[in-house]
Amino acid sequence: FVFSTPPTPNGDLHLGHLSGPYLGADVYVRYQRLSGNQAWHLTGSDDFQSYVGAVAEREGSTPAEVAAHFSAEIAATLKAMDIEVDQYSVTSVDEGYSEGLQSFFSRLVESGQVAPKATPALADSKTGEYLYEVNVGGTCPGCSHRAGGNICEECGEPNLVADLVDPASGISGDAPKHTEVERYTLPLHEFADAVADHHRLGRVPARLRELAERVFARETLDLPVSHPSDWGVRPAEDDLGGQVIWVWPEMSYGFLHGIERLGAGAGKDWSREEPSADWKIVHFFGYDNSFYHAILYPVLYRLAFPGWNPDIDYHVNEFYLLEGEKFSTSRRHAIWGKEILTPDSVDAVRYYLSRTRPEGERTDFRRAEFDRARTENLVGEWEGWLTGLGERIDTHFDGVAPDAGTWTSEHTAFLARLSLRLDEVTAALNPEGFSLRSAAAALDGIVTDVRAFSRQQAPLAKADRWSSEARTALALELAAARLLATAAAPLMPRFSAKLAGALGIPAIATWPETADLVEPGSRCTLSGTRFFTTDEQR
């Protein structure tokens, strides 16, 4: 079960969002299926976020209306990006969701570790309104960067709002007043060893383990898991009146809800009340969500289901910048998915986002670089070589893939080189070393290799004495094209299907162990197929 972080429906998805969890999870699932494994991509609409309520208040709407509108927009953007989602849960309207969440929260309360406790909090100095998340900001007490309420996007550490340095209310803009509020609270500091044990089980990047070390270096961390609000699901206990289950702990339940809903549609008896030991869960998320996914959720699962030892892999991405700065809706510094995604551009967008994905470090989307990569790499190098190969097949073999003839040592070495490229892509898409940047680099490497090979073999193309060897060279170029169609299938599914069709072979359905020749006699239409289109060509 491969989860991309459920997006907040307070706006549509921009390229910063798409480059991280959503493209990552989609490619991961596509590769797993090609490898013969059962895999599903699950996400949804995280409706009860406080940010949804803030948009509703600003626009004179209701949170439910805002969530419904942007949830539909997000689903449409994912579709335009060719990101296939097998289960899309909408938390505010899914049947049984609220009741299931209440039951999950009651399990936490029954564990004895989650209980009402009065702890420091902030309130607006003018209205007295409770402040958290979107309604308050200040300086992170951990790293001294600007931070919002409850989490610091820069260092990844949580804050308790009342410990923000120089806080300011998002309601009045004034310094808030300090108070105490009784909320359901979890003594997270007691679970350092449990989290460390969990981090030894699955794929946990060092970045996440280091974050956990910083979080648990605190003497205490009494984390509120409910907040006063009108937007959200109230605990079944309701002994603190006017509070809702905090949306971030809620998400840990939402993943189990998604698995049950997915199973119901597939005739499986997967239960959110009885998670199974044989479930393999894979999470894709941005670093700013790391605390919740990799530290808080394992603790909540331990409390709710003491007999379940969840097997979870974590794939985390850093911020994707736009022209050197963070994407910002308020400053209109963003490229929205719908602005750039068309049937003609989607392969180029997926290729470029893969090539520049922020894995382990922040990377940058620059429109001029994207346009250059699309024009020079995809159209100039990839399509230029494929078109030229098709023209030579048309000229010398009437558009039919030839069988290999006499082999030379150069031919043998090139086939071995293709096998190495296959190994590179396989290593880049396997769970242990999953990296879209490495996979995209290997695709470029295939094209670089075959173009060099083609140039080296070209002088003998018209020499009758060496016609058998020239035929082998063309057969090997077709093998490279077949490998490109195969290796590109998870990253660029439209291009892969179109290239397979132009080679006269079936769409890629399985991941190969070797680089293979195109079957002799296959009808090739490479010369007449346009794979990529630039803005100028449109």
Side-chain angles (χ1 to χ4, degrees), residues 22 50 142:
Y22 309 105
S50 61

Side-chain angles (χ1 to χ4, degrees), residues 180-306:
E180 276 199 347
V181 175
E182 189 176 19
R183 296 159 291 185
Y184 280 98
T185 302
L186 168 69
L188 191 63
H189 52 276
E190 297 179 8
F191 296 92
D193 291 341
V195 171
D197 289 343
H198 173 73
H199 285 178
R200 293 186 178 98
L201 292 179
R203 180 193 190 275
V204 183
R207 186 99 154 100
L208 301 185
R209 286 181 271 126
E210 185 271 336
L211 172 61
E213 287 298 300
R214 281 190 277 119
V215 168
F216 288 116
R218 306 181 189 188
E219 185 175 343
T220 61
L221 181 53
D222 289 320
L223 186 74
V225 292
S226 70
H227 294 284
S229 176
D230 294 328
W231 179 236
V233 177
R234 303 202 183 283
E237 292 73 13
D238 201 26
D239 49 1
L240 295 183
Q243 296 199 14
V244 299
I245 299 167
W246 189 24
V247 71
W248 287 103
E250 173 195 326
M251 191 182 293
S252 63
Y253 160 76
F255 296 135
L256 306 181
H257 171 87
I259 290 174
E260 180 174 286
R261 287 292 301 271
L262 175 70
K268 307 287 187 180
D269 59 352
W270 299 326
S271 172
R272 63 194 180 193
E273 299 285 343
E274 298 179 5
S276 176
D278 67 355
W279 290 0
K280 178 65 176 182
I281 294 175
V282 182
H283 281 301
F284 281 83
F285 52 88
Y287 182 69
D288 53 327
N289 291 335
S290 296
F291 165 73
Y292 306 118
H293 284 77
I295 297 175
L296 178 59
Y297 297 169
V299 174
L300 299 180
Y301 290 144
R302 182 186 182 95
L303 297 179
F305 308 105

Side-chain angles (χ1 to χ4, degrees), residues 437-479:
R437 289 173 67 177
S438 296
L443 296 184
D444 281 329
I446 292 170
V447 177
T448 298
D449 290 346
V450 71
R451 292 176 73 236
F453 175 76
S454 181
R455 289 193 300 269
Q456 293 162 1
Q457 299 298 309
L460 295 181
K462 297 180 181 180
D464 290 342
R465 186 190 301 274
W466 303 103
S467 60
S468 181
E469 287 81 359
R471 191 167 80 248
T472 303
L474 274 182
L476 285 170
E477 285 196 56
L478 287 172

Side-chain angles (χ1 to χ4, degrees), residues 259-442:
I259 290 174
E260 180 174 286
R261 287 292 301 271
L262 175 70
K268 307 287 187 180
D269 59 352
W270 299 326
S271 172
R272 63 194 180 193
E273 299 285 343
E274 298 179 5
S276 176
D278 67 355
W279 290 0
K280 178 65 176 182
I281 294 175
V282 182
H283 281 301
F284 281 83
F285 52 88
Y287 182 69
D288 53 327
N289 291 335
S290 296
F291 165 73
Y292 306 118
H293 284 77
I295 297 175
L296 178 59
Y297 297 169
V299 174
L300 299 180
Y301 290 144
R302 182 186 182 95
L303 297 179
F305 308 105
W308 183 42
N309 195 14
D311 181 4
I312 304 178
D313 285 356
Y314 299 99
H315 295 266
V316 61
N317 60 270
E318 303 292 333
F319 278 116
Y320 196 45
L321 306 178
L322 174 59
E323 308 292 345
E325 298 181 13
K326 286 185 180 180
F327 280 77
S328 172
T329 304
S330 61
R331 292 187 290 107
R332 297 186 178 181
H333 186 68
I335 296 178
W336 300 100
K338 292 187 180 72
E339 290 180 27
I340 196 170
L341 290 168
T342 68
D344 288 334
S345 70
V346 61
D347 278 321
V349 172
R350 288 177 65 107
Y351 161 80
Y352 189 76
L353 294 189
S354 295
R355 202 172 91 164
T356 58
R357 189 168 183 261
E359 300 169 355
E361 61 184 359
R362 295 182 179 184
T363 53
D364 197 9
F365 182 94
R366 294 186 178 271
R367 185 58 190 254
E369 287 299 306
F370 166 73
D371 291 338
R372 185 200 62 76
R374 187 177 176 184
T375 300
E376 296 182 9
N377 291 68
L378 296 180
V379 176
E381 296 180 1
W382 291 34
E383 186 167 303
W385 160 63
L386 290 168
T387 299
L389 173 60
E391 291 172 348
R392 283 176 281 139
I393 298 297
D394 291 347
T395 299
H396 298 293
F397 297 98
D398 198 25
V400 174
D403 195 0
T406 304
W407 287 69
T408 68
S409 58
E410 291 174 318
H411 297 149
T412 303
F414 180 67
L415 184 59
R417 183 65 178 162
L418 293 182
S419 295
L420 289 176
R421 290 296 187 189
L422 174 59
D423 291 343
E424 284 182 30
V425 184
T426 302
L429 296 180
N430 276 336
E432 297 79 9
F434 187 83
S435 168
L436 295 192
R437 289 173 67 177
S438 296

